[in-house]
Amino acid sequence: MRASENHYFYLRRSCTRPMEEGLPPSGYRWSLWKPSGISIAPRGFPLFPFAIWSAFHYLHVFFNRDYQLLLIHHGAQLVHRSVITPGYFRFPFMHRDDLQVGDTWTDDGHRGKGLATFALKQIASLDVCVGRSLWYLVEEANTSSMRVAEKAGFSCVARGTRGSRFGLRLFGAFHIDERFQPRC
Ligand SMILES: CC(C)(COP(=O)(O)OP(=O)(O)OC[C@H]1O[C@@H](n2cnc3c(N)ncnc32)[C@H](O)[C@@H]1OP(=O)(O)O)[C@@H](O)C(=O)NCCC(=O)NCCS
């Protein structure tokens, strides 16, 4: 079937101890950011969409309290982010305790150095993740992203479609059309 921006692979892994990857590649440092008080987006980030995710956190739209971002810096420069979100109305297949890694991005000049793979492995070994399921959704055509997830221990468990709501993809729910045993 033709790859389309509306068709996604759904990957999942369980989060385990011990920590799989303690240190990022040399020269990089990582941190976690969570909304706190009036801090609703990491410094330098646009309010859209990050203020919306913080609003979902504060208003209990998210199914649990564990929304956060993993950030990687090189010197003062932000070179990677991965957004950890609980389920909410757009992801009806996620259980209450599940988490998802999304909006994963590495700066062009720092790609291919293992930063995204490190971030996903690190997230899977965070205290908050252990014992829970972690999801990663990727457009079918995004082979780099698929490769990152597989290197970080995710398995492809389903294929599905992103719908739209009020004519906007941003609000569209992700549905599972086909489940795989055990891989895509
Ligand atoms: C997908 C993405 C996050 C990967 O980030 P990364 O830090 O380069 O990832 P890694 O270094 O861990 O590399 C993983 C894979 O990316 C691919 N890759 C390697 N160098 C690359 C480069 N210079 N440019 C693009 N992709 C590259 C390879 O397939 C690599 O696997 P391999 O080393 O086994 O060959 C990054 O390409 C990106 O930000 N893309 C645009 C946003 C996006 O698509 N996000 C994913 C949404 S689901």
Side-chain angles (χ1 to χ4, degrees), residues 109-130:
H110 297 264
R111 288 187 186 169
K113 297 183 175 189
L115 295 180
T117 306
F118 166 80
L120 263 60
K121 286 183 175 177
Q122 193 67 28
I123 290 166
S125 60
L126 292 176
D127 281 346
V128 75
C129 280
V130 170

Side-chain angles (χ1 to χ4, degrees), residues 8 72 79-82 101-120 136-139 142-149 151:
Y8 287 76
I72 302 178
V79 295
H80 176 90
R81 67 154 188 267
S82 283
V101 186
D103 199 21
T104 299
W105 164 85
T106 299
D107 180 84
D108 271 343
H110 297 264
R111 288 187 186 169
K113 297 183 175 189
L115 295 180
T117 306
F118 166 80
L120 263 60
Y136 189 87
L137 272 56
V138 53
E139 284 180 12
N142 195 339
T143 48
S144 299
S145 183
M146 187 87 172
R147 173 97 183 111
V148 169
K151 285 204 298 185

Side-chain angles (χ1 to χ4, degrees), residues 13-182:
R13 62 160 289 170
S14 43
C15 299
T16 49
R17 278 192 192 292
M19 188 170 287
E20 294 179 7
E21 188 108 5
L23 293 172
S26 175
Y28 297 92
R29 67 188 161 80
W30 72 278
S31 59
L32 292 172
W33 176 91
K34 300 177 189 181
S36 167
I38 58 166
S39 174
I40 54 172
R43 187 180 309 168
F45 276 53
L47 286 179
F48 180 83
F50 295 97
I52 294 181
W53 305 148
S54 287
F56 281 10
H57 171 76
Y58 284 123
L59 296 172
H60 293 257
V61 174
F62 286 144
F63 294 164
N64 62 59
R65 308 302 298 148
D66 298 315
Y67 163 63
Q68 55 200 289
L69 274 69
L70 187 146
L71 307 175
I72 302 178
H73 284 84
H74 186 257
Q77 184 191 1
L78 176 78
V79 295
H80 176 90
R81 67 154 188 267
S82 283
V83 181
I84 307 166
T85 45
Y88 62 105
F89 57 87
R90 294 181 65 212
F91 302 97
F93 57 89
M94 286 176 67
H95 294 142
R96 184 147 211 91
D97 283 342
D98 291 357
L99 293 169
Q100 181 180 158
V101 186
D103 199 21
T104 299
W105 164 85
T106 299
D107 180 84
D108 271 343
H110 297 264
R111 288 187 186 169
K113 297 183 175 189
L115 295 180
T117 306
F118 166 80
L120 263 60
K121 286 183 175 177
Q122 193 67 28
I123 290 166
S125 60
L126 292 176
D127 281 346
V128 75
C129 280
V130 170
R132 300 162 78 167
S133 282
L134 192 57
W135 292 86
Y136 189 87
L137 272 56
V138 53
E139 284 180 12
E140 286 185 345
N142 195 339
T143 48
S144 299
S145 183
M146 187 87 172
R147 173 97 183 111
V148 169
E150 288 180 337
K151 285 204 298 185
F154 288 77
S155 296
C156 189
V157 295
R159 181 174 185 273
T161 318
R162 177 183 184 167
S164 60
R165 191 178 298 202
F166 315 123
L168 295 174
R169 289 182 80 230
L170 182 65
F171 297 116
F174 288 79
H175 296 287
I176 289 180
D177 301 326
E178 191 182 356
R179 289 185 187 269
F180 301 111
Q181 284 293 343

